[in-house]
RNA sequence: GGGGGAGUGUCGGAACUGGUAUACGAAGCGGACUUAAAAUCCGCUGCCCGAAAGGGAUUGAGGGUUCGAAUCCCUCCUCCCCCA
């Protein structure tokens, strides 16, 4: 027998990396847009990326074998804080840092064998890209979708800078530990709320995991209720929003945000305490912290009962939600109940559970369900549902309320007081106010010569950037120094991929209409709300601008699970990180990809296991060796008719299973099917040596394995002239005509097995079954019933 | 607090719409090859009773529906994730 060369993974991978990276676009008319969430260029791929891309590339190669024209791009989400932090820390310019990181990550991606269409590359920090962010901003500004308003921000007095929510840890700055203050600044917003209804309704159209849709529904948070006016002593009015107007008679106090504009008029002698409360309320989670309140001097009037009720300034009422004031019904709301107990406010039951009578003196918890009204004037005795409508009508007639739809979704705050982002193309003119930069003067370039001190926004200090002329009057004016949230960049990158070199438009509408939507999007669940809502919103805005026709950017979504080590998420602090480079160097890309796909189904978390990785490596070597056995000698031995039939059947079954599994992203079972098939071939080879049909079987195995392990299979295909262009096919008849195994049960317990020709009658199956000794023993004399599922199972039920 | 998901051998996991529970891989044990080891190949391997043939129980716990339940329904326990 000929000597089998050792499988040199390193050499094979080096040879094929270049060829994969240069992969050509197919011209099949059957397009498929396959997209992976592009990474932030932090400097190195982690296992999460590796998993994401292994899934994507395997699916891409499978689709190509099924003769689809696949669009498979890659890019980098290159603006963002880490680059700026690196600049503050080590003095490297964010651009240099970012571009170097991109280079490193790209080389890792190539090493993994990912066959991206690199000519589509998008890097969001390049002016060729962010120019169009600015262009969209101007279009949105024209239409009132981009606007500026006062908003609270987290301000660190130590760093003299604005902090994102995640940079505030327990009320302190993450970097310098100063106590964070709430400041009010003029901020830019995108009016995403104008699309709330459509964003909610169109979820129906999407083939997304139900849990992501639920998260989005909650995030959008549509609630129908009533806006009610409570009059206050001194002829002022406080408005509240409630989804439970049926509990109005039970409202025994009100609570308002310490930031409420009316607070000064209501607090009276308590203003000092309110100030204290405001400071306390800084950037902490309202749900987690203890509830505090200050009773104000003025009292409100419950419009239903006419009673005077106290008003509290409370730290759990947010100005950003509803009206910044709420009516409190302690008997029927958990939070109101706790607060009322703490401050000894009366509790009054106005809703009874059906068939029960609650007693406020004995209640230990609020009753928050709906029920039957009591103590509610004319509405007593009504069920909650009806009472909600009737009370709303009653208030409308009285002029003290109106029905309203409220949203949890807020407008998207896009201002960042940061350098490393897209400059907002607006000029502040002392005479003309806010003026848009002229479209033909885009891009407003980010100046490179700035200082990174960690204090304030470097852009605001860049004199030659800030000082400009007003586009309207030509007088001296100052540029906007806020930059755009990086979620703007990721809201349309998938459109730029389709036409990445276009310098006269963000993309060609003709191309976008032909290739959108993305047929399959793959990424992490952590983007279930933010990114995936912003991108949907952006697509709808672009549609309304006439740039695309599609309503939704991502038709199908796959959210992959996390990669764990020792039961925990890989993280530096736990010291359980497995490095991508190490794994690629030690075992090679094929092994790494195969393990990632094999160890767990994509949606589930994946436990990294070094031993199991070795198993995948072993399997690849087995394929290599068997292929060489098959092709380096001539077939010498025939196999029996029986074995030949079985081989054909197993081959067909394997092709069918692998194809179905790959189409459904069930890579783990696809790979196990190939392994089973390989074991079967190996069994025949062990028995007969190079047998008739060995080569054909190995060809099939190699083709099936190609999407997941492209390097070794490409090498073998070249060596032994195997075409990897198309997916193997099988004949249905081979599967249908094969003999079936029937399970024989007695009273639901397995008592025997039977091989039959397909289509054997029930009577005959029964006759044969009863001949089996164990079956006869357990079935006994009295057979009560027979259940027969054709080609599958016969259950014999006995006794009385 | 709200929302979602998962509990199956020693481990990762399989079981299509209710029809052989534990495929495939790992680990373990035994054997072949070898001076030896690695690599490779072959075989065995969830639990209890039994020498064996065989039988019994078993999918986090308990109950239910069904000829038949890991899968459907109810109650409970544990773990994880996301959002706030």
């Amino acid at each position: 027998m000929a000597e089998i060369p050792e499988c040199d993974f390193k050499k094979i991978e080096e040879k094929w990396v270049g060829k994969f990276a240069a992969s050509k676009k197919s011209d099949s008319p059957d397009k498929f847009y396959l997209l992976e969430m592009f990474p932030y260029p932090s400097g190195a791929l982690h296992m999460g990326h590796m998993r994401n891309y292994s899934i994507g590339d395997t699916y891409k190669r499978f689709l190509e074998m099924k003769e689809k024209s696949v669009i498979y791009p890659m890019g980098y989400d290159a603006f963002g804080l880490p680059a700026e932090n690196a600049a503050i820390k080590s003095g490297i310019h964010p651009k240099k840092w970012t571009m170097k990181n991109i280079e490193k990550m790209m080389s890792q991606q190539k090493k993994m064998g990912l066959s991206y269409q690199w000519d589509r590359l998008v890097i969001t920090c390049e002016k060729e890209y962010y120019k169009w962010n600015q262009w969209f901003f101007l279009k949105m500004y024209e239409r009132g979708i981009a606007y500026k308003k006062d908003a609270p921000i987290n301000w660190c007095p130590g760093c003299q800078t604005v902090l994102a929510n995640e940079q505030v840890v327990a009320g302190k700055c993450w970097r310098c530990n100063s106590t964070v203050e709430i400041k009010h600044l003029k901020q830019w917003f995108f009016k995403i709320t104008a699309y709330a209804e459509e964003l909610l309704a169109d979820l129906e159209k999407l083939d997304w995991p139900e849990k992501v849709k639920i998260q989005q529904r909650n995030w959008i948070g549509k609630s129908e209720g009533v806006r009610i006016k409570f009059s206050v002593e001194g002829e002022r009015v406080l408005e509240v929003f409630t989804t439970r107007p049926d509990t109005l008679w039970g409202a025994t106090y009100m609570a308002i945000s310490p930031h409420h504009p009316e607070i000064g008029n209501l607090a009276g002698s308590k203003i000092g305490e309110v100030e204290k409360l405001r400071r306390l309320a800084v950037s902490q989670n309202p749900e987690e912290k203890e509830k505090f309140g200050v009773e104000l001097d003025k009292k409100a009037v419950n419009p239903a009962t006419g009673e005077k009720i106290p008003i509290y300034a409370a730290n759990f009422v947010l100005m950003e939600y509803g009206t910044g004031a709420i009516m409190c019904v302690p008997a029927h709301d958990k939070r109101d109940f706790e607060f009322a107990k703490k401050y000894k406010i009366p509790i009054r039951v106005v809703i009874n559970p059906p068939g029960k009578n609650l007693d406020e003196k004995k209640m230990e918890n609020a009753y928050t369900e709906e029920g039957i009204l009591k103590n509610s004037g004319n509405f007593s005795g009504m069920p909650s549902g009806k009472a909600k409508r009737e009370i709303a009508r009653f208030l409308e007639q009285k002029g003290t309320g109106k029905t309203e739809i409220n949203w949890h979704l807020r407008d998207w705050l896009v201002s960042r007081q940061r350098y490393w982002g897209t400059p907002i193309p607006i000029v502040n003119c002392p005479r003309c106010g806010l003026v848009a930069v002229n479209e033909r003067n885009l891009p407003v370039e980010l100046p490179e010569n700035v200082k990174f001190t960690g204090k304030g926004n470097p852009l605001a200090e860049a004199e030659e950037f800030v000082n400009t002329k007003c586009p309207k009057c030509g007088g001296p004016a100052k540029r906007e120094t806020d930059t755009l949230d990086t979620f703007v960049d990721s809201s349309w990158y998938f459109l730029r991929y389709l036409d990445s070199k276009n310098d006269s438009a963000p993309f060609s509408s003709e191309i976008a209409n032909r290739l959108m939507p993305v047929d399959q999007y793959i990424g992490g669940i952590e983007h279930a709300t933010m990114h995936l809502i912003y991108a949907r919103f952006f697509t709808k805005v672009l549609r309304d601008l006439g740039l695309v026709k599609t309503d939704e950017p991502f038709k199908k979504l796959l959210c992959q699970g996390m990669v764990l080590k020792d039961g925990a998420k890989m993280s530096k602090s736990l010291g359980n990180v497995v490095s991508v480079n190490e794994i690629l160097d030690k075992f090679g890309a094929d092994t790494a990809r195969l393990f990632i796909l094999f160890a767990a189904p994509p949606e589930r978390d994946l436990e990294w296991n070094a031993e199991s990785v070795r198993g995948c490596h072993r399997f690849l070597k087995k394929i290599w060796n068997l292929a060489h056995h098959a092709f380096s000698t001539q077939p010498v031995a025939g196999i029996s008719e029986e074995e030949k039939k079985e081989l054909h059947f197993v081959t067909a079954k394997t092709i069918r299973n692998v194809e179905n599994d790959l189409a459904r992203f069930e890579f783990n079972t696809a790979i196990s099917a190939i392994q089973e098939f390989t074991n079967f071939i190996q069994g025949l080879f062990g028995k007969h040596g190079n047998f008739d049909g060995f080569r054909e079987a190995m060809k099939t195995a190699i083709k099936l394995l190609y999407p997941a392990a492209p390097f070794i299979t490409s090498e073998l295909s070249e060596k032994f002239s195997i075409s990897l262009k198309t997916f193997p096919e099988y004949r249905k008849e081979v599967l249908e005509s094969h003999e079936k195994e029937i399970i024989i049960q007695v009273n639901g317990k397995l008592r025997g097995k039977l091989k039959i020709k397909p289509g054997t009658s029930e009577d005959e199956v029964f006759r044969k079954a009863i001949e089996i000794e164990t079956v006869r023993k357990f079935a006994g004399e009295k057979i009560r019933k027979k259940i027969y599922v054709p080609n599958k199972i016969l259950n014999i039920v006995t006794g009385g």
Side-chain angles (χ1 to χ4, degrees), chain A residues 591-604:
Chain A
T591 302
R593 292 169 58 127
L594 206 58
F595 169 75
I596 282 173
L597 298 174
F598 179 64
E603 301 86 352
R604 264 214 248 174

Side-chain angles (χ1 to χ4, degrees), chain A residues 160-212:
Chain A
Q160 288 286 301
T161 193
V162 177
L163 299 177
N165 281 333
E166 59 271 21
Q167 296 173 321
V168 181
V169 182
K172 310 265 185 193
C173 171
W174 66 327
R175 194 172 321 114
C176 72
N177 213 30
S178 317
T179 301
V180 174
E181 294 169 2
I182 295 285
K183 253 189 160 182
H184 284 256
L185 277 185
K186 287 267 186 189
Q187 305 271 295
W188 286 98
F189 285 86
F190 284 164
K191 204 182 250 170
I192 189 171
T193 53
Y195 287 83
E197 196 78 67
E198 197 191 342
L199 286 167
L200 183 67
D202 282 357
L203 283 172
E204 302 297 326
K205 296 185 192 168
L206 301 176
D207 187 1
W208 285 16
E210 203 48 43
K211 62 171 168 178
V212 177

Side-chain angles (χ1 to χ4, degrees), chain A residues 285-298:
Chain A
N285 194 324
E287 295 282 350
E288 277 169 8
K289 65 187 169 189
E290 209 187 324
K291 284 134 191 93
F292 290 105
V294 176
E295 187 177 350
L296 307 180
D297 283 356
K298 293 276 165 77

Side-chain angles (χ1 to χ4, degrees), chain A residues 88-311:
Chain A
I88 294 164
K89 227 170 118 187
S90 53
I92 309 169
H93 193 277
K95 185 167 190 180
K96 204 171 157 198
W97 186 85
T98 303
M99 296 313 274
K100 210 176 76 202
N101 286 347
I102 288 175
E103 214 173 291
K104 280 193 250 174
M105 288 168 81
M106 199 186 280
S107 109
Q108 284 182 306
Q109 287 170 314
K110 287 179 180 167
K111 254 179 145 178
M112 276 182 68
L114 307 174
S115 52
Y116 296 124
Q117 292 149 355
W118 287 109
D119 54 340
R120 298 185 183 277
L121 179 66
V122 164
I123 296 174
T124 59
C125 67
E126 291 183 333
K127 62 176 187 287
E128 291 76 14
Y129 186 79
Y130 72 68
K131 172 184 174 179
W132 301 109
N133 282 346
Q134 295 173 340
W135 189 79
F136 291 134
F137 185 93
L138 293 180
K139 299 283 161 201
M140 288 162 82
Y141 183 58
E142 273 168 32
R143 282 162 180 75
I145 298 168
Y147 68 96
K148 205 173 190 184
K149 75 167 180 192
D150 211 43
I153 46 105
N154 303 309
W155 177 258
C156 171
C159 306
Q160 288 286 301
T161 193
V162 177
L163 299 177
N165 281 333
E166 59 271 21
Q167 296 173 321
V168 181
V169 182
K172 310 265 185 193
C173 171
W174 66 327
R175 194 172 321 114
C176 72
N177 213 30
S178 317
T179 301
V180 174
E181 294 169 2
I182 295 285
K183 253 189 160 182
H184 284 256
L185 277 185
K186 287 267 186 189
Q187 305 271 295
W188 286 98
F189 285 86
F190 284 164
K191 204 182 250 170
I192 189 171
T193 53
Y195 287 83
E197 196 78 67
E198 197 191 342
L199 286 167
L200 183 67
D202 282 357
L203 283 172
E204 302 297 326
K205 296 185 192 168
L206 301 176
D207 187 1
W208 285 16
E210 203 48 43
K211 62 171 168 178
V212 177
K213 290 206 225 176
I214 288 168
Q215 278 187 49
Q216 293 218 346
R217 260 178 226 124
N218 293 339
W219 185 263
I220 296 167
K222 181 179 184 174
S223 58
E224 289 168 53
V226 186
R227 181 187 275 258
I228 305 174
K229 288 180 189 159
F230 282 63
S231 57
V232 182
E233 294 172 301
E235 293 176 358
R236 291 183 181 278
V237 158
L238 276 178
E239 287 194 320
V240 305
F241 174 81
T242 178
T243 55
R244 292 298 302 273
D246 55 321
T247 64
L248 180 57
W249 269 256
T252 53
Y253 65 102
M254 290 185 80
I256 72 171
S257 161
H259 300 286
H260 197 284
E262 287 289 323
I263 196 94
N265 301 317
L266 303 173
S269 63
K270 304 292 175 55
I271 192 71
E273 283 174 67
V274 171
E275 290 289 342
K276 244 187 260 168
L277 190 69
R278 269 194 213 174
R279 280 197 294 275
L280 203 90
V282 166
S283 63
Q284 252 188 14
N285 194 324
E287 295 282 350
E288 277 169 8
K289 65 187 169 189
E290 209 187 324
K291 284 134 191 93
F292 290 105
V294 176
E295 187 177 350
L296 307 180
D297 283 356
K298 293 276 165 77
K299 300 234 182 298
V301 177
N302 181 322
T305 62
E307 291 175 294
K308 280 195 176 172
I309 56 173
I311 307 171

Side-chain angles (χ1 to χ4, degrees), chain A residues 38-94:
Chain A
F38 66 166
Y40 177 77
S42 59
L45 293 184
H46 54 68
M47 280 299 167
H49 293 127
M50 201 164 174
R51 190 172 192 196
N52 191 166
Y53 310 148
S54 297
I55 293 168
D57 189 65
T58 301
Y59 193 61
K60 184 253 187 177
R61 290 172 189 268
F62 168 65
L63 289 172
E64 281 184 340
M65 289 180 102
K66 297 299 289 177
E67 284 155 82
K68 300 265 187 206
S69 163
V70 185
I71 298 144
Y72 189 51
M74 182 40 66
Y76 300 91
D77 191 8
F79 272 138
L81 262 183
E84 205 165 329
N85 290 336
I88 294 164
K89 227 170 118 187
S90 53
I92 309 169
H93 193 277

Side-chain angles (χ1 to χ4, degrees), chain A residues 2-36:
Chain A
E3 187 82 4
I4 291 176
E6 208 183 311
C7 180
D8 187 340
F9 290 95
K10 270 229 168 80
K11 226 168 144 187
I12 293 172
E13 289 182 6
E14 272 164 29
K15 171 177 166 189
W16 288 93
V17 152
K19 304 195 184 187
F20 293 159
S23 85
K24 279 198 303 280
K25 291 177 217 169
S26 128
D27 45 13
S28 154
D30 199 2
K31 79 96 185 176
F32 193 101
Y33 189 173
L34 176 61
L35 181 70
E36 290 155 9

Side-chain angles (χ1 to χ4, degrees), chain A residues 46-49 51 524-527 560-578 605-608:
Chain A
H46 54 68
M47 280 299 167
H49 293 127
R51 190 172 192 196
I525 183 82
E526 65 275 19
H527 295 109
Q560 98 252 12
M562 292 185 302
V563 183
L564 310 176
K565 179 84 197 300
D566 310 320
K569 193 172 176 169
M570 284 188 188
S571 74
K572 274 186 203 145
S573 57
L574 287 170
N576 61 350
V577 177
V578 177
D605 289 349
L606 183 154
E607 173 73 31
W608 190 268

